[in-house]
Amino acid sequence: MVNWTSVAIGFVVTFVLETISNLFLSLDVAVSIFIGVFAPVIGGLIAAYWSGGNFKEGALNGGLAGGLGTLIAAIIFLPGNLIFIAENAVISFIINGILGAIGGLIGIISKRNPKEKEEALKEEPPKEE
């Protein structure tokens, strides 16, 4: 289930980091690319950590946060005609949605309590071959 509050928070984080990435573009391209790549990962991580849930929900919330934040940033900041902007916005939505889903999985893994992990391992019976 999508937690739209956490997706909105992750969206804002992704959009702000993408904006900072575009501001660094004229100063240092390497820094700009670094921030641009990790923006959807961090946004997805925050969205999934905020919402909690299982891995599927974390990947969904993180992917939406990372993808939508980058989509809006691409529409706003890309120069050129409408077809160029639309193609690049869709491609960036797909790629950064995947990166956001990876960040969402990291957020769910980091949110889990170590005691819960130990209890889950104790409850599972050993597999017999």
Side-chain angles (χ1 to χ4, degrees):
M1 175 177 245
V2 177
N3 186 344
W4 289 107
T5 305
S6 65
V7 170
I9 292 168
F11 165 80
V12 169
V13 169
T14 303
F15 181 75
V16 168
L17 288 174
E18 288 287 341
T19 304
I20 292 170
S21 170
N22 285 322
L23 293 175
F24 271 101
L25 192 59
S26 62
L27 298 173
D28 191 3
V29 177
V31 172
S32 176
I33 292 172
F34 182 78
I35 295 171
V37 167
F38 282 105
V41 174
I42 294 170
L45 187 146
I46 290 173
Y49 190 86
W50 189 275
S51 67
N54 57 18
F55 289 113
K56 180 181 173 185
E57 293 172 357
L60 180 64
N61 289 328
L64 283 173
L68 290 175
T70 305
L71 176 74
I72 300 301
I75 291 172
I76 292 173
F77 294 117
L78 280 176
N81 59 10
L82 186 60
I83 294 174
F84 176 77
I85 293 171
E87 288 174 351
N88 285 318
V90 169
I91 291 170
S92 69
F93 174 76
I94 292 169
I95 292 170
N96 291 318
I98 293 169
L99 289 174
I102 292 169
L105 291 174
I106 294 169
I108 291 297
I109 290 170
S110 65
K111 178 147 182 147
R112 295 210 170 170
N113 189 357
K115 290 182 181 178
E116 291 176 1
K117 292 178 189 175
E118 290 175 8
E119 291 173 2
L121 290 174
K122 288 179 184 176
E123 292 175 3
E124 291 180 11
K127 296 180 182 179
E128 296 180 18
E129 294 183 20

